[in-house]
Amino acid sequence: MLGFLKKPVVVTAEINVNLVALTVMGLISRLWGLSYPRAVVFDEVYYGQFVSLYMKRIFFVDDSGPPFGHMLLALGGYLGGFDGNFLWNRIGAEYSMNVPVWALRLLPALAGALCVPLAYQILVELQLSHCAALGAALLILLENSLITQSRFMLLESILIFFILLAVLSYLKFYNLQRHSSFSGSWWFWLLLTGVSCSCAVGVKYMGLFTYMLLLAISGLHFWHMIGDQNLSNVSLMCHFLARGLALIVIPVAMYLSFFYVHLTLLYRSGPHDQIMTSAFQASLEGGLARITQGQPLEVAYGSQITLRNVLGKPVQCWLHSHTNTYPIRYENGRGSSHQQQVTCYPFKDVNNWWIVKDPGMQQLVVSNPPRPVRHGHVVQLVHGITTRYLNTHDVAAPLSPHSQEVSCYIDYNISMPAQNLWRVEIVNRESDTDVWKTILSEVRFVHVNTSAVLKASGFMLSGASLPEWGYRQLEVVGEKLSKGYHQSMVWNVEEHRYGKSQEQKEREVELHSPTQMDISKNLSFMAKFTELQWKILTLKNEDTEHKYSSSALDWITMDTNIAYWLHPTSGAQIHLLGNVVTWASANVAALAYTCLSLWYLIRRRRKIYDVPEDAWQLWVSAGGICLGGWAVNYLPFFLREKILYPYLPALTFQILLIPIVLQHLGDHLCSSLLLKSMFSALIVAWFSSVYFVHCTFSPVTYGEPSLSVTELKDLRWKDSWNILIRKQ
């Protein structure tokens, strides 16, 4: 029974020494001296602010992309014990002792290091030789720009890691397809493909380019499977459903989960939440939530309300009035109605309060029981402090003469009757009998007499404000009814109380007091996700041109660089600057692949086959993925100028193409032994030059040792490079 104990337990394992060595070298190149410099480097000033907000659980919106990458950076800070207390106000600022610099930079560095063995494995899965795969990994290892980008609290190395992991996972899945479909390994690599794609998109939207490429490749492979008569219809359907689950359903679910965790962590109000809707702000702890907690939910006749414009650009603002009137004549000589001014005011103020009045009754208090206002009801809006009625008429607005002036009516007895009836239209209603709700309802006010819609002026969108007579506040106009619902026409009730005082003096005291009722309002996750996603996609800053902005053509020729950091006293500095030989070789490889492919296609069309069929399939599949990866990650940037580092994912694919082209040339175009020997010697010389350039520029890759003025000038190989020379 215990006979098995008479023999030793033996465990055998296969170890790929190449893979282990590459991993170790990758870790050394990215982790060595990771805490240096102990100062803010380039966009660390940007991402560090978000890490601090994560540590303090304060809500923020980064319109550059999804939150997963930010959460990974914050994870490094959390593991390092960072408390979030650091002022990220300038590049070069020295980190205080409470900032765990090594931990904050660790995850990007690890991701950058693991890209080296991933490159090796990708080429192995593409059926290239181990020598070619080793060459690809070494090129990634020695690429100065990839080293620089991965050694700081930045996102590109994490993005590239997930992109390469997605490609590798799909290739492993595809290679298992031939002999072990639906096995455990098959499912693992298929699911990992979807997970990696989702993570890539979650780090930066650039990951979407590679995700779409892999979906297209998967679709093409499945199209070929449809033509396989050995597969039954049931088997094809199972393959289709498996791919749909792994490559679409799971990535979408994971993408939603990133936002779920993001919103769960950031539950406190902060400076960024003012661009969100009132409902979103009210769901956060502190800030607006403290003001709106306990407000009545249903707006009724007699309700006292503040109305916030939904657009929120360039600033959030509330419908406002005050005792001052429009000037009799404007600067251009055009006349006004001289009525009481109505504006959109970007600060909370007692003059933002309005009373919802039933046109058929005189009372300004809520009855018992309250009579709710519904979609389609006609109301009057009475300014709480001055008790004048919101009005519009056929008089040109001060800044927008094509629109109607909005005012609070003053009876001058000059044959200008009041026109103060407004129809409430709930834009996001579910039925035509919906009740107007605090915070949740988005409403338009349509003027009964003229059909004009109450709107924040187009001048407001550009940041223009009223002159001194209007206290530089923002213009409100009556816009003739137009197609669609622009957000500048939509308002929501932010603060709300049920009016109790009919007398003006008592009502003014009431308007200054907080609400007491206890009814809370909560948003669902999907509502918050939809709003936040929309803000990320639409609130992209239209910045002035960045100091280091460059065209996409400058990237492939490396005519541009970015200065990341400069030592305050010495000549030590760090630049995003690539290995010149590698970049040039990658361009040549892409051109050679394109030209050779066209030549082969033309020859094959003429029934002339220059290479065996298996070599042709290898050439198409391997080169297609690498050149395709380069194209989808590079060509979109011709639409707008950006700075250099978005090119790095495309560059990575292009580097992988180099050994593919070299192996093909050596195997199929070098026919004699002499040519093969000469070709091998050229490769050794070329790779030596790659290593030489890597070493030459390593001082500005790692920031040490410090270089003299002469040495720095010697590194300026191109006049367009911005190598910083300190004045003596």
Side-chain angles (χ1 to χ4, degrees):
M1 182 177 178
L2 299 178
F4 71 92
L5 294 177
K6 296 178 181 180
K7 295 182 179 180
V9 177
V10 178
V11 177
T12 60
E14 291 185 1
I15 298 176
N16 189 327
V17 177
N18 286 352
L19 203 57
V20 173
L22 289 169
T23 304
V24 171
M25 287 190 291
L27 290 171
I28 293 173
S29 68
R30 271 64 174 177
L31 295 178
W32 177 79
L34 193 59
S35 296
Y36 178 84
R38 193 173 174 82
V40 178
V41 175
F42 198 59
D43 272 357
E44 286 187 339
V45 73
Y46 178 72
Y47 293 113
Q49 298 175 40
F50 301 136
V51 172
S52 287
L53 292 173
Y54 270 117
M55 297 301 104
K56 297 177 180 180
R57 304 294 190 265
I58 295 174
F59 175 78
F60 69 85
V61 179
D62 177 17
D63 55 15
S64 68
F68 182 56
H70 302 72
M71 290 192 289
L72 290 178
L73 296 180
L75 176 61
Y78 175 78
L79 296 176
F82 183 41
D83 57 10
N85 293 318
F86 182 76
L87 185 61
W88 309 85
N89 59 350
R90 64 180 178 88
I91 297 172
E94 292 290 328
Y95 284 122
S96 55
M97 295 308 297
N98 69 305
V99 181
V101 180
W102 191 85
L104 286 169
R105 294 173 177 170
L106 177 60
L107 288 179
L110 287 175
L114 293 176
C115 288
V116 177
L118 282 177
Y120 173 85
Q121 290 180 287
I122 286 173
L123 261 67
V124 169
E125 292 299 322
L126 285 171
Q127 313 303 322
L128 270 81
S129 68
H130 285 272
C131 183
L134 184 62
L138 291 175
L139 289 173
I140 298 293
L141 175 71
L142 299 176
E143 174 48 46
N144 299 68
S145 60
L146 295 178
I147 295 174
T148 300
Q149 197 69 13
S150 62
R151 285 174 49 78
F152 302 109
M153 191 171 46
L154 307 171
L155 293 180
E156 272 63 35
S157 63
I158 300 176
L159 171 65
I160 294 170
F161 166 77
F162 283 119
I163 286 175
L164 294 183
L165 183 60
V167 172
L168 174 64
S169 301
Y170 183 79
L171 291 173
K172 283 186 171 289
F173 151 75
Y174 178 71
N175 289 334
L176 286 169
Q177 175 74 38
R178 303 168 187 173
H179 52 80
S180 54
S181 295
F182 299 104
S183 65
S185 298
W186 184 91
W187 274 110
F188 173 80
W189 291 112
L190 177 59
L191 292 173
L192 186 58
T193 303
V195 170
S196 302
C197 287
S198 182
C199 289
V201 177
V203 171
K204 280 199 167 187
Y205 284 129
M206 281 180 61
L208 188 63
F209 301 144
T210 304
Y211 177 39
M212 298 306 294
L213 175 67
L214 289 178
L215 281 180
I217 293 173
S218 176
L220 181 62
H221 288 163
F222 184 73
W223 178 255
H224 291 156
M225 289 179 63
I226 293 176
D228 187 351
Q229 296 297 322
N230 295 321
L231 292 174
S232 65
N233 292 338
V234 173
S235 179
L236 280 174
M237 181 58 66
C238 290
H239 278 284
F240 178 78
L241 293 176
R243 285 160 173 77
L245 172 67
L247 300 181
I248 297 177
V249 176
I250 288 179
V252 170
M254 284 195 63
Y255 184 77
L256 290 173
S257 73
F258 299 150
F259 280 87
Y260 183 83
V261 174
H262 175 74
L263 292 169
T264 301
L265 291 174
L266 306 183
Y267 58 86
R268 292 175 178 161
S269 175
H272 287 211
D273 59 311
Q274 64 179 338
I275 67 171
M276 309 304 288
T277 63
S278 301
F280 196 106
Q281 292 183 55
S283 69
L284 300 172
E285 179 183 296
L288 183 62
R290 291 180 296 176
I291 299 172
T292 59
Q293 184 177 9
Q295 291 185 157
L297 178 61
E298 297 184 346
V299 177
Y301 292 108
S303 285
Q304 298 169 358
I305 62 174
T306 64
L307 290 166
R308 179 179 183 265
N309 191 260
V310 169
L311 181 63
K313 289 195 302 185
V315 292
Q316 60 177 344
C317 67
W318 293 263
L319 189 67
H320 176 94
S321 187
H322 40 243
T323 56
N324 299 73
T325 59
Y326 292 110
I328 296 177
R329 290 197 176 276
Y330 299 120
E331 292 81 352
N332 60 5
R334 185 165 51 87
S336 79
S337 67
H338 198 44
Q339 299 278 314
Q340 181 172 302
Q341 296 173 20
V342 172
T343 63
C344 206
Y345 189 51
F347 301 99
K348 292 186 180 296
D349 187 273
V350 69
N351 280 308
N352 298 345
W353 284 94
W354 300 81
I355 302 169
V356 181
K357 179 182 174 299
D358 184 344
M361 304 179 67
Q362 291 302 314
Q363 69 181 43
L364 297 177
V365 297
V366 175
S367 60
N368 188 17
R371 293 187 299 123
V373 180
R374 299 181 182 274
H375 170 74
H377 282 193
V378 174
V379 302
Q380 293 171 312
L381 294 176
V382 183
H383 188 239
I385 296 299
T386 64
T387 66
R388 291 200 168 108
Y389 290 58
L390 187 72
N391 185 84
T392 189
H393 41 214
D394 191 17
V395 175
L399 298 182
S400 308
H402 59 282
S403 300
Q404 293 181 180
E405 173 194 270
V406 174
S407 64
C408 278
Y409 181 73
I410 302 175
D411 186 4
Y412 289 122
N413 195 23
I414 55 172
S415 301
M416 183 179 283
Q419 298 184 38
N420 52 31
L421 298 179
W422 299 86
R423 185 171 64 254
V424 176
E425 291 188 355
I426 302 175
V427 175
N428 59 341
R429 65 185 181 275
E430 295 181 359
S431 71
D432 288 341
T433 59
D434 272 11
V435 174
W436 183 8
K437 294 184 177 64
T438 306
I439 292 178
L440 303 178
S441 294
E442 296 182 348
V443 302
R444 295 195 320 162
F445 296 98
V446 181
H447 191 236
V448 172
N449 297 73
T450 64
S451 297
V453 180
L454 188 69
K455 175 187 176 183
S457 166
F459 279 90
M460 171 185 157
L461 304 183
S462 63
S465 57
L466 295 169
E468 289 295 336
W469 55 258
Y471 302 100
R472 300 293 177 186
Q473 295 176 19
L474 303 172
E475 184 188 42
V476 173
V477 301
E479 184 77 9
K480 287 293 186 179
L481 190 61
S482 58
K483 295 180 180 179
Y485 298 120
H486 191 271
Q487 286 186 313
S488 60
M489 299 179 177
V490 182
W491 306 79
N492 71 272
V493 174
E494 188 170 89
E495 297 180 63
H496 178 208
R497 60 167 59 85
Y498 281 165
K500 300 177 182 178
S501 304
Q502 185 71 22
E503 295 296 325
Q504 176 64 12
K505 289 185 178 179
E506 295 177 4
R507 188 162 57 245
E508 289 184 18
V509 173
E510 185 179 2
L511 289 172
H512 284 88
S513 64
T515 57
Q516 301 296 325
M517 298 184 70
D518 186 20
I519 303 174
S520 62
K521 299 161 217 38
N522 296 311
L523 274 184
S524 66
F525 161 69
M526 285 306 299
K528 294 172 74 174
F529 162 76
T530 303
E531 180 177 344
L532 179 55
Q533 179 67 87
W534 181 249
K535 292 294 183 184
I536 291 174
L537 293 175
T538 59
L539 284 181
K540 193 68 179 175
N541 287 328
E542 297 179 5
D543 298 325
T544 56
E545 185 174 321
H546 193 281
K547 177 181 178 182
Y548 291 105
S549 290
S550 54
S551 70
L553 286 175
D554 292 332
W555 300 351
I556 58 174
T557 56
M558 212 175 73
D559 284 337
T560 183
N561 72 301
I562 304 176
Y564 271 17
W565 172 80
L566 174 66
H567 193 278
T569 57
S570 72
Q573 51 193 273
I574 295 174
H575 290 259
L576 184 66
L577 196 59
N579 189 308
V580 179
V581 176
T582 302
W583 286 50
S585 303
N587 293 331
V588 171
L591 182 61
Y593 181 87
T594 303
C595 293
L596 269 175
S597 297
L598 289 173
W599 173 253
Y600 286 151
L601 285 171
I602 293 171
R603 301 267 290 175
R604 289 173 71 86
R605 188 66 177 168
R606 301 291 297 172
K607 307 299 182 183
I608 303 171
Y609 302 98
D610 299 289
V611 295
E613 187 61 26
D614 57 343
W616 168 250
Q617 294 299 329
L618 172 62
W619 175 255
V620 171
S621 59
I625 288 177
C626 295
L627 191 65
W630 170 79
V632 299
N633 283 285
Y634 172 58
L635 297 180
F637 290 102
F638 276 94
L639 300 177
R640 58 173 294 185
E641 286 198 348
K642 294 275 286 185
I643 54 180
L644 178 61
Y645 55 73
Y647 183 61
L648 296 180
L651 173 70
T652 303
F653 278 105
Q654 202 177 25
I655 290 174
L656 296 181
L657 186 62
I658 297 174
I660 295 172
V661 173
L662 290 177
Q663 178 175 317
H664 183 82
L665 294 176
D667 290 347
H668 301 287
L669 299 185
C670 296
S671 54
S672 67
L673 184 60
L674 177 60
L675 282 176
K676 289 183 180 294
S677 300
M678 292 176 61
F679 186 72
S680 299
L682 286 174
I683 290 178
V684 171
W686 164 77
F687 195 83
S688 299
S689 67
V690 171
Y691 181 72
F692 170 76
V693 173
H694 165 78
C695 294
T696 300
F697 285 94
S698 63
V700 293
T701 298
Y702 291 94
E704 54 184 357
S706 177
L707 300 179
S708 66
V709 172
T710 302
E711 290 172 323
L712 288 171
K713 289 181 177 179
D714 289 340
L715 287 182
R716 190 178 284 172
W717 290 10
K718 291 190 176 185
D719 293 336
S720 57
W721 289 358
N722 185 30
I723 304 295
L724 304 176
I725 308 295
R726 191 180 299 279
K727 294 182 179 180
Q728 299 298 315

